Amino acid sequence: MKSSSNKQNKTNKTRKGNGEGTLYFNETKKLWVFQQTMFDVSGKKYRKTFYGKTKQEARKKAQSFMLELSLGTAKNQKAVKSLMTICELIADAFEVEFEHNQFSEATYARKKSTLKIIQNHEIGNVPIQKIDDNLINNFFGRITSYSNSVISKIYSMLNYGLNIAVQNKIIFSNPLNNPYLKKPRSEKSDKKIGAFTIEEQGQFLKALEEYEEQKNRCYYKPQLLIALFTGMRMGEINALSPDDVNLENRKVYVHRTISSDIEYDPLLKETTKTKKGVREIPLNDNAVEAFRMALERFVPNRENLLFYDTYNDKVITTSQVNNAFKRICEKHNIKNGTNVHMLRHTFATRCIEAGVEATVLKEWLGHTDISVTLNIYNDVLKHNHDKSIDLLQKYTTDNGLSIV
């Protein structure tokens, strides 16, 4: 199991790919070698090599050169930059930002995944100066099979890279500023992770009553119930220690999460998804019972996690719980059971239906801003209009403020 402190070790592993370079140990020279793909003035690719007594030294030399390149201070930069691809420029910028802790390992991995989509198209493999309206339009036509959310990430990343190219005088202007080059729309309709209806939630709870522990498999019932009755993200639930739960005061302290590193391995992060994610959540009777069940089943482990895969000696990931959730829903014909995250939405929906204020729900869910809460649950809030107007009428009548 790795923690966030292992970040440096992970980034020093041998890696290959466009703009990412290769790190290895040269037995003959007894030195670490970092090789980076470059272009000469004729457009021919070559490998620039950096040596160091340690992994860190070799890699830092390469990063220093790339940083100088991006700032316009490297020797022969004009010859090298003139034929650099947009993907290499973006990858280099990400390397620097990552080393400066501008984003997490999980975010870095997601950015690399988006960059690969650009790399797989001609636009990602030609010199930046050759990117024109036709090439962009052709690229936009090829990415409409992705969802709108993925398209937005691709568009933003391409725009990001082109802006860097402008700043470093590789090109004179960003072609995406052309008003006729609009972000494409997906061929697919947007999918929203909904919430269980009251009837479906009843079905799900009944299914959990029949849920049996299987040999050499984790028992996920407590996590599923906690998600349903607290609205916590599954990564936050899987990162809890027994000390984070206070049944006497009926509260749970959320302060970290299970994420993934740049190699997509599970990572116990000593922080939450957002700063607002650090919070205390009050527990109702249902949540108290779910946590009591979890504490009774707790098995000591080297990470001191309330939920731990003791069979494989590793942390439990969201995908593991999600697979169990889908199996349960399929077995009991609960058609709306598509993703474990919907348990969080179900909790929020029941809160709104019960009259919990959006400002309170925002704190329970760990949203950064009230607008996030309002935007996600806007449809549910609209359904509460009639109930709210009835409450207002009752209040005015009870206080002698009605004219009827």
Side-chain angles (χ1 to χ4, degrees), residues 351-383:
C351 286
I352 295 170
E353 291 170 350
V356 175
E357 295 179 8
T359 52
V360 174
L361 183 58
K362 165 189 169 292
E363 297 299 323
W364 291 355
L365 295 176
H367 284 161
T368 54
D369 190 88
I370 187 64
S371 62
V372 176
T373 313
L374 295 176
N375 288 337
I376 294 176
Y377 302 107
N378 184 52
D379 291 341
V380 186
L381 289 165
K382 283 181 180 178
H383 288 304

Side-chain angles (χ1 to χ4, degrees), residues 256-282:
R256 56 185 185 173
T257 189
I258 301 294
S259 183
S260 57
D261 62 18
I262 59 176
E263 304 292 338
Y264 297 98
D265 292 328
L267 175 73
L268 177 58
K269 288 183 63 179
E270 295 301 325
T271 184
T272 51
K273 182 180 179 181
T274 64
K275 290 182 179 179
K276 280 290 185 180
V278 178
R279 62 201 188 277
E280 275 192 344
I281 303 175

